[in-house]
Amino acid sequence: MSFKKKINQIIRVDLAGEKGAIEIYKGQLAVIKDKTLSNEIKIMLKKEEEHCEKFTKLLVQYKVRPTILDPVWKVGAFGLGMFSAALGKKATMACTEAVEEVIIDHYEKQSKYLEGKDDALSKVTKKFASDEKEHMHIAKDMGTGSDLLHQTLKSGIKLISKIAIKVSERV
Ligand SMILES: [Fe+2]
Ligand SMILES: [Fe+2]
């Protein structure tokens, strides 16, 4: 694959991911009544909006076509947010933990790949990986459950996130 094609994939999938993260949090906020919990989520949401803004700029700068699946991800992510929040506080945070775990790994791999090839973009992905790490720790600190239900939920959400990444890279 050409380098430009790889860069296109990186920017396309990252923007889609950040948009997805925003929708997950919005979906959760639509359901959650607990003030402490919703305040934490609002802080994370703000960060995702910054991330999204950055990748929107990069999309224009690098002349990348966004994924055609944006509307699908939008509905799916919002639904996932609502679903997790409806299951309770631990499930809400389990969703964040699972998504962030996948995204951290994803950003770190990109950052490594980009080193020496596109250092500016490598730095962005590295910085975002560390932001997402913070979110994962917030979730873990708040409690994400270790019983079967929450473990299953986490594995399921991780799998969905990985599939969404694979698909968004391509279309
Ligand atoms: Fe993000
Ligand atoms: Fe995040």
Side-chain angles (χ1 to χ4, degrees):
M1 188 192 303
S2 72
F3 179 59
K4 173 62 183 152
K5 214 172 163 191
K6 183 80 186 161
I7 293 275
N8 287 1
Q9 272 195 356
I10 288 174
I11 294 171
R12 180 178 305 129
V13 69
D14 291 356
L15 177 60
E18 294 299 344
K19 280 186 182 171
I22 289 173
E23 292 306 317
I24 290 175
Y25 288 137
K26 282 188 179 167
Q28 290 180 332
L29 287 170
V31 174
I32 289 162
K33 294 190 176 69
D34 182 308
K35 265 264 167 298
T36 325
L37 188 60
S38 61
N39 282 339
E40 285 297 340
I41 292 170
K42 278 178 194 159
I43 292 168
M44 297 193 278
L45 173 61
K46 208 170 158 250
K47 204 32 109 188
E48 310 302 1
E49 280 167 347
E50 286 171 29
H51 291 171
C52 185
E53 211 176 292
K54 180 68 187 172
F55 273 113
T56 304
K57 280 186 191 148
L58 289 169
L59 190 91
V60 177
Q61 192 191 320
Y62 285 80
K63 300 188 176 71
V64 178
R65 161 187 73 71
T67 165
I68 55 167
L69 290 170
D70 258 2
V72 178
W73 296 152
K74 200 169 177 173
V75 175
F78 192 85
L80 175 63
M82 284 183 80
F83 172 72
S84 61
L87 289 174
K89 190 173 166 178
K90 278 185 192 166
T92 307
M93 287 295 129
C95 179
T96 297
E97 186 194 312
V99 171
E100 300 295 18
E101 223 179 277
V102 174
I103 299 302
I104 292 162
D105 181 57
H106 169 77
Y107 272 142
E108 281 176 347
K109 276 187 190 143
Q110 286 183 342
S111 177
K112 234 185 210 134
Y113 167 80
L114 289 164
E115 255 172 50
K117 298 187 188 80
D118 187 327
D119 286 320
L121 200 51
S122 175
K123 254 178 89 178
V124 171
T125 47
K126 196 174 183 177
K127 161 79 169 66
F128 288 7
S130 99
D131 289 345
E132 310 300 7
K133 237 176 231 170
E134 252 173 64
H135 296 167
M136 188 182 73
H137 288 306
I138 289 172
K140 281 187 172 171
D141 287 346
M142 295 199 60
T144 61
S146 52
D147 54 299
L148 186 63
L149 168 71
H150 292 91
Q151 289 301 342
T152 310
L153 186 66
K154 279 184 252 188
S155 336
I157 293 173
K158 273 195 226 170
L159 183 64
I160 292 170
S161 308
K162 283 179 193 163
I163 293 169
I165 286 175
K166 281 284 165 237
V167 176
S168 301
E169 280 176 348
R170 282 160 183 80
V171 289

